[in-house]
Amino acid sequence: MSIALLLTFYCICVLLASIAGGVLPGWVELTHRRMQLAMSFVGGMMLGVALLHLLPHALAHLASIDRVAGWTLGGLVTMFLLIRVFHVHAHEHGDTSDLIDIHESEHEGPCEHHHEHHEHVPGQHPFSWLGLALGLSLHTLIDGVALGAAVMADAAGEHEFALFGLGTFLAVALHKPLDALSITSLMAAGGWSKRAIHAANLVFALICPLAALASAWGLTGALGQQHAAIGCALAFAAGVFLCIALADLLPEVSFHAHDRIPLTVALFLGIALAWSIGFFEPQHAHDDHHDSHEHASSAAAR
């Protein structure tokens, strides 16, 4: 029962975070600098979660580095294709007025940096957000599966309550507001009513929690194949997280000459947070890999 309650709590938090991201422009002034710092922090967080949590746990369940590598590659390529086909993650929505003085003072001549993705076309097509919404919906569906698998992986064999899947939960919850903001911003630019924007925001916010609950329920009913299914899902999710961080979030941050030190600090803070989550995980999450090799070695000796 504690696992179900914990996953439900995670799902509610992800739902609220996604909804908040969609309505955030009405609450807080989203400057360019704030958006870049958030993206750098979340990028570091997703890198750390993928490499320090998802991959080791996937190897513990699959006990095969080849299968882990294959599923990780599959997740990375799948997410890359989503980004390419649907132009997923148009995260540049901040007001860039806070950078005007910096660029004017640093560049006497023409600015050579790539700023084309900061410009907003005033005449957005009313349905230009649909491609982005479809891509992000597929992406958030994968995030939900990753969250459900991470909770089930950490909970396997544990009889005491713990913060199962905490790293994956934080990475998903911190990333959902950026995704929701992308959809609602394009809808607002296309002239959609606030009612339609809020409805789309709510539907999008529900996808990840529902996928997480369905994933956990499906893995519970996998019986003898549970460990293999969880391991494949975790490795696939690791590839997705790596692609989001390395092909989407961090490249946008790295192209900017301003705030290099704060952006770098934010990146390392995200990685540090991902690393520190290991202290809150159940102990067996760090021992399974070692135990699996011990069992394999003893079996070979016999």
Side-chain angles (χ1 to χ4, degrees):
M1 181 62 68
S2 61
I3 299 175
L5 289 176
L6 179 64
L7 183 57
T8 301
F9 172 74
Y10 284 169
C11 289
I12 293 174
C13 291
V14 170
L15 174 67
L16 294 177
S18 184
I19 293 175
V23 299
L24 195 60
W27 297 347
V28 181
E29 182 184 359
L30 296 178
T31 65
H32 173 84
R33 182 175 289 107
R34 289 175 180 174
M35 288 292 295
Q36 292 293 306
L37 288 172
M39 289 168 59
S40 186
F41 177 79
V42 175
M45 175 78 179
M46 299 193 85
L47 270 182
V49 168
L51 297 176
L52 300 178
H53 301 282
L54 295 180
L55 283 179
H57 294 178
L59 184 58
H61 283 271
L62 291 176
S64 169
I65 190 65
D66 291 334
R67 292 185 69 185
V68 171
W71 279 96
T72 302
L73 179 61
L76 193 153
V77 172
T78 299
M79 193 65 237
F80 176 77
L81 292 177
L82 284 177
I83 293 174
R84 293 286 292 175
V85 174
F86 296 104
H87 303 288
V88 174
H89 296 137
H91 290 319
E92 197 57 65
H93 306 293
D95 178 11
T96 59
S97 61
D98 58 329
L99 300 179
I100 293 177
D101 293 338
I102 295 178
H103 288 301
E104 287 181 350
S105 61
E106 290 184 354
H107 303 282
E108 296 179 357
C111 180
E112 296 181 357
H113 297 294
H114 301 285
H115 297 297
E116 64 273 8
H117 56 287
H118 300 319
E119 299 174 1
H120 303 280
V121 180
Q124 289 280 359
H125 191 276
F127 292 99
S128 61
W129 63 279
L130 282 177
L132 178 68
L134 178 58
L136 285 176
S137 295
L138 294 173
H139 163 220
T140 199
L141 185 68
I142 296 172
D143 283 345
V145 173
L147 179 57
V151 172
M152 295 302 297
D154 283 357
E158 283 289 318
H159 301 287
E160 297 182 1
F161 178 78
L163 295 176
F164 307 126
L166 178 62
T168 305
F169 158 66
L170 288 178
V172 171
L174 292 174
H175 189 240
K176 286 302 103 186
L178 297 176
D179 291 346
L181 176 62
S182 299
I183 295 175
T184 57
S185 295
L186 280 183
M187 290 186 71
W192 287 81
S193 67
K194 289 185 178 181
R195 184 175 181 178
I197 292 174
H198 292 327
N201 189 31
L202 178 60
V203 171
F204 175 77
L206 285 170
I207 295 176
C208 184
L210 292 177
L213 294 172
S215 171
W217 178 80
L219 291 173
T220 301
L223 299 177
Q225 299 297 319
Q226 185 182 44
H227 277 285
I230 290 176
C232 293
L234 292 176
F236 189 88
V240 170
F241 279 24
L242 286 173
C243 185
I244 293 172
L246 296 177
D248 176 43
L249 297 179
L250 297 183
E252 285 198 37
V253 173
S254 65
F255 284 130
H256 300 285
H258 60 83
D259 294 327
R260 287 180 175 177
I261 294 179
L263 291 173
T264 303
V265 171
L267 171 67
F268 280 103
L269 285 176
I271 295 175
L273 177 59
W275 172 79
S276 66
I277 289 168
F279 294 104
F280 298 94
E281 292 181 330
Q283 184 60 39
H284 82 90
H286 305 278
D287 296 337
D288 279 353
H289 179 51
H290 176 69
D291 292 341
S292 65
H293 279 287
E294 284 187 345
H295 292 314
S297 300
S298 61
R302 293 174 185 173

